[in-house]
Amino acid sequence: MRIGIGYDIHRLVEDRKLILGGVEIPYVKGLLGYSDGDVLLHAISDALLGALALGDIGQHFPNTDTQYKDISSIKILNKAMEMVRGRGYAINNLDTMIIAEEPKIHPFRSRMIGVLADIMGAAKGDISIKATTNEEVGSLGRGDAIAAYAVVTLAKKRCEVKHGYLP
Ligand code: MG
């Protein structure tokens, strides 16, 4: 069993789509970023890399590399999951927290969980997405940004050993 933690924050600005958890959410602003700015998927991807002790997404997906400009963060999560599978691990469970003053996350939660379950090859019951406001405190509380935390545990896929998943 291995455990990883991830965190990310992106500024909310006008004239951007709001993409969170791989789902487009109707809102007057969106997250500024080199990719689509999906803080939740970035936090989860960092948690996966952390569980594998393979550095962070800044190293693997540098914002100086034009191939990552404006890409869907689903591609980043897919690559992180390739590393997880390549080392013989599977998702045990994932817990996340989105901190957003607005908009309300709850109506989109089950769609986000569906997207994550598909990409991560996990049961929906092993994926948790929680949300809270920052109680109007600080930059998150003013709605200047959205942040996300993720904690993941990975389990070794013992049944796959004979198929060559392990080194
Ligand atoms: Mg980010």
Side-chain angles (χ1 to χ4, degrees):
M1 182 79 81
R2 299 184 70 104
I3 185 167
I5 183 173
Y7 167 80
D8 198 18
I9 183 169
H10 280 249
R11 278 194 288 149
L12 272 171
V13 295
E14 288 172 3
D15 300 320
R16 290 273 294 186
K17 284 182 185 173
L18 177 58
I19 311 286
L20 263 183
V23 172
E24 187 175 337
I25 296 177
Y27 188 56
V28 290
K29 293 179 177 178
L31 293 169
L32 186 63
Y34 195 69
S35 62
D36 60 9
D38 191 328
V39 284
L40 183 59
L41 296 198
H42 293 182
I44 293 168
S45 301
D46 247 345
L48 294 173
L49 293 176
L52 298 171
L54 284 178
D56 55 50
I57 63 170
Q59 277 173 266
H60 290 274
F61 311 99
N63 61 11
T64 48
D65 189 335
T66 51
Q67 69 168 308
Y68 300 118
K69 181 145 177 59
D70 296 324
I71 62 161
S72 165
S73 297
I74 286 174
K75 288 186 186 167
I76 293 175
L77 182 57
N78 267 328
K79 290 212 170 183
M81 279 307 303
E82 271 174 31
M83 295 183 214
V84 169
R85 294 188 181 104
R87 281 160 181 77
Y89 287 93
I91 302 298
N92 183 68
N93 80 302
L94 168 70
D95 188 20
T96 65
M97 172 71 83
I98 298 169
I99 303 153
E101 209 65 23
E102 283 187 335
K104 286 268 171 279
I105 304 300
H106 177 72
F108 305 95
R109 189 197 320 242
S110 64
R111 273 176 62 200
M112 292 181 192
I113 289 173
V115 169
L116 292 177
D118 275 355
I119 297 171
M120 303 177 84
K124 290 179 183 174
D126 293 329
I127 294 173
S128 157
I129 296 177
K130 310 188 304 301
T132 187
T133 70
N134 216 42
E135 289 290 326
E136 299 180 10
V137 176
S139 56
L140 287 168
R142 282 193 304 273
D144 293 341
I146 292 178
Y149 291 90
V151 174
V152 68
T153 57
L154 304 180
K156 203 84 177 179
K157 294 203 292 189
R158 296 183 192 287
C159 59
E160 310 258 31
V161 171
K162 61 178 181 292
H163 302 301
Y165 266 68
L166 290 177

